[in-house]
Amino acid sequence: MDAKVNGNVSFWYADIGLPAFRAPLPGDLEADVCIVGAGYTGLWTAYYLKKADPSIRIAIVEKEFAGFGASGRNGGWLSGGFGWSREKYLKTSTRGAVIDMQRAMYGTVEEVISVTEAEGIDADILRTDNITVATNKPQLDRARAEYEEAKAWEMPADRIEFLSAADARARIAIHNVQGAYVLRGMARVQPAKLVRGLSDAVERLGVPIYEQTTVTGIEKGKVTTNRGTVRAPIIIRATEGFTAGIPGNERLWLPLNSAQIITEPVSDALWDEIGWKGHELLGDAAHAYCYAQRTREGRITMGGRGVPYRYGSQTDVRGQTQQLTIEKLHAILARLLPQTKNLRIDHAWCGVLGVPRDWCTTAGLDPETGIGWAGGYVGLGVSSSNLSGRTLRDLILRRDTELTRLPWVNRQVSKWEPEPMRWLGVHSMYQLYRMADEREEAGLDHTSKLAAIADRITGH
């Protein structure tokens, strides 16, 4: 099935209109802090820093427009999610510190909502649950294991629940659902509305955002661009999935591709068949994984990996994705919700997310160079970026706080392998995941060993 629109950044901008460009950098200038990238990470950092010290001079430089990257293309999950592995953080920290980080991550949901209310940002935010459904026995076992792990890591009992097949089906009429793991205290959001509102709030505080300004180099005290040079003792690299495009950072974070489709508005009669009255954030326990939401105007988005990685860490062209990816996402939607198989696909798009070699998010500031960073969100950036902004604020202002002592701060990881090894590794991993999912869907009664091989290949 073709999509009516493919690319043009994302549906979220089709919903509200693409913004006009702000003025570019007018030439050389000096600042106290230069932030590279006007997505969630850069904007949250500027917001909290300027709130804490109104006298500080901040300049934000952005290649396209504020929210052009993942901040304006993501699945709209304000999840407060922790990431892939508590155990990995535990290797360099303590159990108590990892639990503190888990608590801080989940606190981002209410923090973001609080700021949107204070700043008058309408981002279609709706508090809801995240439901991970299982449609075969291996998925059910993994979903239950995730639930048990959350309990073991002291997740509050009122935040988690495991549903029977009947209870899961009562929420959303997923085909062949066998059970589901529920995380409460999350929210749905229209991501482009959030980033546009946040950029306006940052400007109101007196922080200039220089768009159409391409960064060509970052070094101690200096950011070089095609429009001039910004000299600042503190520089924050807030480029996430686009980090590999900055010279010297080609192997730091891998730009992993993610794509989405969105349906035409669903009729009331069809919603009655589907359920989904709680507007839950919907994912599944497959290895390849998908993510979906019910939007403000009654559409369904469905996201997944698509073509996972472009050779040489290349990125897409304004969100345009492959036809094969559109067809695969439509097949996932039809498999989970066959009631939707005849719905028109109105828009398809894609973007990139940053993946460190150990798949763990980091935020930090090098006191020697004055260069800071945050990212590697592995798909959880809507909420994690807020914690990044507050953490970078404290690091820049040299505050010793609970946030600066969390185990993700100044975490150092190895670089990704040179090409063609990383292309081969990532594509092999996802091919093995797809094969594992197919075997499990065909009746395998335990998690396929192919998935474990995939994990070993890339350290997932």
Side-chain angles (χ1 to χ4, degrees), residues 163-182:
L163 302 180
S164 67
D167 288 340
R169 193 176 299 109
R171 290 224 188 179
I172 309 175
I174 300 293
H175 181 61
N176 284 339
V177 67
Q178 297 193 15
Y181 168 44
V182 177

Side-chain angles (χ1 to χ4, degrees), residues 391-456:
T391 302
L392 287 170
R393 170 201 61 196
D394 290 351
L395 290 170
I396 292 167
L397 297 177
R398 299 182 181 181
R399 295 175 174 176
D400 179 17
T401 66
E402 291 181 359
L403 296 183
T404 62
R405 293 191 292 271
L406 293 176
W408 71 324
V409 174
N410 289 323
R411 181 184 178 86
Q412 300 295 321
V413 298
S414 60
K415 293 183 177 181
W416 284 90
E417 290 77 5
E419 294 291 22
M421 296 306 296
R422 66 178 182 269
W423 186 92
L424 289 169
V426 174
H427 279 263
S428 296
M429 178 182 74
Y430 278 101
Q431 182 61 29
L432 288 166
Y433 281 156
R434 282 190 286 270
M435 292 168 63
D437 284 333
E438 288 170 0
R439 292 186 180 190
E440 293 173 9
E441 198 66 28
L444 190 68
D445 67 352
H446 59 273
T447 290
S448 171
K449 293 180 180 178
L450 293 175
I453 296 172
D455 288 340
R456 284 199 297 271

Side-chain angles (χ1 to χ4, degrees), residues 297-338:
E297 72 282 20
R299 302 171 185 263
I300 299 173
T301 65
M302 176 57 70
R305 195 58 62 224
V307 175
Y309 172 70
R310 292 175 171 85
Y311 191 89
S313 293
Q314 297 179 59
T315 55
D316 57 86
V317 178
R318 296 184 68 82
Q320 187 168 358
T321 192
Q322 302 87 352
Q323 179 61 30
L324 180 60
T325 295
I326 297 171
E327 292 169 0
K328 286 182 176 179
L329 292 175
H330 187 248
I332 292 171
L333 177 59
R335 175 173 56 82
L336 294 176
L337 291 168

